[in-house]
Amino acid sequence: AGQNRRVSANEPSWTKNYQPGVPAEIDLPDEPLTAMFERSCHLGGRGTALEFFGARTSYARLGDQVARVAEGLRKLGVHPGDRVALVLPNCPQHVVAFYAVLRLGAIVVEHNPLYTAAELGRMVADHGARVAIAWDAAAAKLDGLVETVVAVNLLDAMPRLKRAALALPLPALKKARAKLHAPAPGSLTWAKLVSSRRLKASHPRPRPADLAVVQYTSGTTGAFRGAMLTHRNLYANALQGAAWMKDAVDGRETIYAVLPMFHAFGMTLYLTFGILKRGHLVLFPTFDVDMVLDVARRRPPTVYCAVPPIYERTARRARQRKIDLTSAKFCISGAMRLSDPVVELWESVSGGFLVEGYGLTEASPVALGNPFWPTRRTGTIGVPFPSTLMRVVDPEDPTREVSQGEPGELLLHGPQVFSGYWNDPDASAAALLPGGWLRTGDIVTVDADGFATVVDRLKEIIVTNGFNVSPSEVEEVLAGAPGVSACAVVGIPKPNGDERVVAAIVPEPGHPLDPDALRSFCHESLAGYKVPRRFVEVDELPTSMLGKVLRRQVRDQVAERLAA
């Protein structure tokens, strides 16, 4: 067991549980995120920045491609402050596009490429991007939504031999190729964009306070809103992560990008922290446990951050295949509760602690974490990161702090806290209290040593496989389904801490419940992870005196029915 870190008089008491050497405060340079990127590309030189199905991109080449794509976007009329939609899985083009947009002083808006056209349409109508850079298989969904679509063929980023193999006229290879590529007629190609001249070095750079990303979330509000994250927010969170993983060595770590970069957690882990550390980023467009372990045989991971189900599947399959994962020393779990059995399983095959962290999009996203030290406490979300403060307050009166150990709403303050919601000043004012304190909507208890545990949520968001699902969004779709008189959507806990999306349905008279038809109806408008896994028939929905559906009572009612 390690000894507690020494704490100076002006530091929060919880820093005594930090790993020795982790600072209470980070030094945040007065420069934009793009300055960090350019420095990493210069220092990284010929070292590998990105690996994709075996094809490698050096840091020097990455910097060159960003300068070229930035010039191509400038010629398309992208100006500072313009929004550019990215609709991409994890691939080298995603990293290039992200920094090319930022280099122009424009704003990245990340989107899940599996979103339906209707979901993308709602977001684009809100943020107003005129240009989108999209995986060609998803490009058709943007027809009529933006002026220009730059279509990205993932096959172009693969090694030549692999591309040639996928071109063979064999059924299995045709199927694999179809998963990665689809023609996008009428779109501008990525190849044309990346063949541009380099952007002039004298082109104006963004400022630290400028908006960098609008990240859509159902977050603290339960509604679909775009969290505004500045260069300073994202840079700060990358530096906080680097301080937390103090033993990670610049230019020496192999980081597996198994979480999507269009998600806030993946964005920070790979696009900001990974580049800051000049890591060797191995990009996976989707999580495939055998694909991950095939790479691990020749290039073992040292940083493997994921969600509990991924840790569990990776550990079990690694045991079956007898693949060594002891290289994985830095492992942070997020998005859902981390259980003791998963920790024990993972640590039996890996080379370091598996610790749980806590974040939300509005905090760029990471705010608390368990230390990489024997002081960590599984089952808690840890203690605040460097330069981060927390308070626990009465949710009905956020000016009143509750007593230690008493449940209350978690408030956060730090350089990673967002500046508000895009086009929504009312929601921004509700989420941000005077002094910049963020209302998380999570109810926690904090013990005498500063470790926080989530015990409830004020918000009714469902967390499934690490993604947030707004019940209201799913209910709006279901309300339009034939035969549905009323509905309520809730999250039912699973043993691993995840939740499954379940819909309680009051059918119209003479219309028996048809789960398959409802599921197909939902798939037309919703990404797959939002579609209810179960449909439960009920006679009526419990409501308040004002007629509002009481989702907590619905959840209890549905849970009892499913258990029976």
Side-chain angles (χ1 to χ4, degrees):
Q3 294 181 345
N4 283 4
R5 172 185 177 280
R6 291 185 178 181
V7 179
S8 64
N10 60 346
E11 293 179 8
S13 61
W14 57 70
T15 61
K16 68 183 179 184
N17 298 297
Y18 282 10
Q19 179 183 359
V22 174
E25 299 282 338
I26 59 163
D27 292 324
L28 182 54
D30 187 26
E31 60 184 20
L33 195 61
T34 49
M36 176 275 286
F37 171 80
E38 291 170 359
R39 188 160 49 249
S40 287
C41 289
H42 173 71
L43 294 173
R46 295 182 180 179
T48 298
L50 313 173
E51 180 179 335
F52 188 66
F53 290 95
R56 297 188 177 190
T57 304
S58 70
Y59 271 94
R61 186 168 175 231
L62 175 61
D64 179 70
Q65 289 187 353
V66 165
R68 294 179 185 280
V69 171
E71 173 64 10
L73 291 172
R74 188 193 66 80
K75 287 181 178 179
L76 286 176
V78 176
H79 298 104
D82 287 351
R83 279 74 62 207
V84 177
L86 302 191
V87 191
L88 295 164
N90 291 2
C91 57
Q93 296 96 326
H94 195 149
V95 183
V96 174
F98 183 87
Y99 279 102
V101 173
L102 296 187
R103 175 62 183 85
L104 292 175
I107 301 163
V108 168
V109 191
E110 291 279 5
H111 302 78
N112 184 339
L114 299 182
Y115 280 156
T116 64
E119 290 168 313
L120 289 170
R122 287 195 294 273
M123 292 184 194
V124 173
D126 185 51
H127 60 67
R130 293 180 297 104
V131 175
I133 302 174
W135 177 28
D136 55 16
K141 293 184 282 191
L142 292 159
D143 285 349
L145 299 181
V146 297
E147 294 175 12
T148 305
V149 176
V150 178
V152 172
N153 183 346
L154 299 188
L155 301 179
D156 290 345
M158 292 184 176
R160 187 175 301 171
L161 287 177
K162 191 165 188 69
R163 291 203 306 270
L166 284 170
L168 295 173
L170 299 174
L173 292 174
K174 283 184 178 180
K175 188 176 180 181
R177 187 168 64 248
K179 286 183 177 180
L180 294 167
H181 164 64
S187 299
L188 177 68
T189 66
W190 175 265
K192 183 173 179 61
L193 204 64
V194 82
S195 64
S196 303
R197 293 182 177 180
R198 291 173 57 91
L199 182 74
K200 291 181 179 178
S202 59
H203 188 279
R205 285 170 163 74
R207 296 166 300 179
D210 286 348
L211 195 54
V213 171
V214 172
Q215 188 79 13
Y216 279 87
T217 176
S218 17
T220 65
T221 63
F224 218 61
R225 293 189 171 97
M228 298 190 294
L229 304 174
T230 65
H231 283 257
R232 177 180 171 83
N233 292 149
L234 296 175
Y235 199 171
N237 211 222
L239 289 167
Q240 289 167 321
W244 206 245
M245 293 190 227
K246 63 171 284 292
D247 293 329
V249 180
D250 290 358
R252 298 289 298 274
E253 306 302 334
T254 298
I255 304 170
Y256 276 21
V258 295
L259 298 174
M261 294 190 293
F262 56 74
H263 188 278
F265 192 18
M267 177 179 65
T268 287
L269 284 171
Y270 315 131
L271 290 171
T272 60
F273 166 79
I275 297 296
L276 171 71
K277 296 298 293 181
R278 303 200 303 280
H280 178 132
L281 274 66
V282 183
L283 308 179
F284 298 91
T286 59
F287 174 71
D288 180 306
V289 66
D290 283 311
M291 186 190 302
V292 167
L293 293 174
D294 287 345
V295 177
R297 281 195 186 279
R298 60 178 176 78
R299 183 79 193 192
T302 61
V303 179
Y304 193 76
C305 296
V307 293
I310 288 180
Y311 282 116
E312 187 171 11
R313 288 179 60 192
T314 307
R316 293 193 188 284
R317 190 70 175 129
R319 277 184 173 177
Q320 291 173 352
R321 294 184 56 184
K322 296 181 170 53
I323 292 177
D324 185 4
L325 291 176
T326 53
S327 60
K329 294 180 170 31
F330 306 102
C331 305
I332 297 178
S333 177
M336 64 186 74
R337 183 178 61 83
L338 181 64
S339 66
D340 284 324
V342 172
V343 171
E344 291 167 7
L345 174 63
W346 179 256
E347 291 185 356
S348 71
V349 301
S350 67
F353 291 122
L354 169 57
V355 300
E356 184 171 357
Y358 168 88
L360 64 170
T361 303
E362 291 87 346
S364 303
V366 189
L368 286 85
N370 271 277
F372 286 102
W373 198 244
T375 51
R376 58 88 182 257
R377 294 185 187 174
T378 301
T380 76
I381 56 173
V383 296
F385 261 27
S387 293
T388 306
L389 299 176
M390 71 174 173
R391 293 168 55 203
V392 183
V393 302
D394 179 349
E396 300 298 324
D397 178 10
T399 63
R400 185 184 76 83
E401 291 195 47
V402 301
S403 303
Q404 183 214 305
E406 180 183 344
E409 183 180 1
L410 176 65
L411 304 186
L412 295 171
H413 188 280
Q416 75 271 48
V417 169
F418 81 146
S419 54
Y421 294 108
W422 180 261
N423 281 342
D424 202 332
D426 291 340
S428 301
L432 288 169
L433 297 176
W437 285 89
L438 171 65
R439 297 192 69 167
T440 67
D442 284 312
I443 303 298
V444 302
T445 58
V446 177
D447 65 22
D449 291 321
F451 285 85
T453 302
V454 176
V455 295
D456 205 349
R457 286 202 298 268
L458 286 176
K459 54 186 187 275
E460 295 174 323
I461 296 306
I462 301 165
V463 181
T464 181
N465 290 322
F467 291 100
N468 287 356
V469 176
S470 168
S472 302
E473 182 186 9
V474 183
E475 289 165 358
E476 184 178 344
V477 172
L478 277 172
V484 173
S485 173
C487 64
V489 174
V490 296
I492 301 299
K494 294 164 67 175
N496 65 0
D498 197 12
E499 293 176 303
R500 56 179 166 165
V501 183
V502 178
I505 304 291
V506 179
E508 290 181 347
H511 288 79
L513 182 67
D514 186 343
D516 290 337
L518 289 175
R519 195 170 289 114
S520 296
F521 185 86
C522 289
H523 273 294
E524 293 177 6
S525 301
L526 298 169
Y529 68 87
K530 299 178 183 178
V531 175
R533 295 294 181 265
R534 295 288 297 273
F535 296 87
V536 177
E537 183 174 343
V538 296
D539 295 329
E540 61 180 356
L541 298 173
T543 59
S544 69
M545 293 179 64
L546 298 176
K548 181 179 179 182
V549 173
L550 302 173
R551 284 204 185 99
R552 291 194 182 188
Q553 290 187 26
V554 174
R555 183 177 62 189
D556 293 343
Q557 180 183 0
V558 167
E560 285 182 21
R561 189 78 62 85
L562 293 176

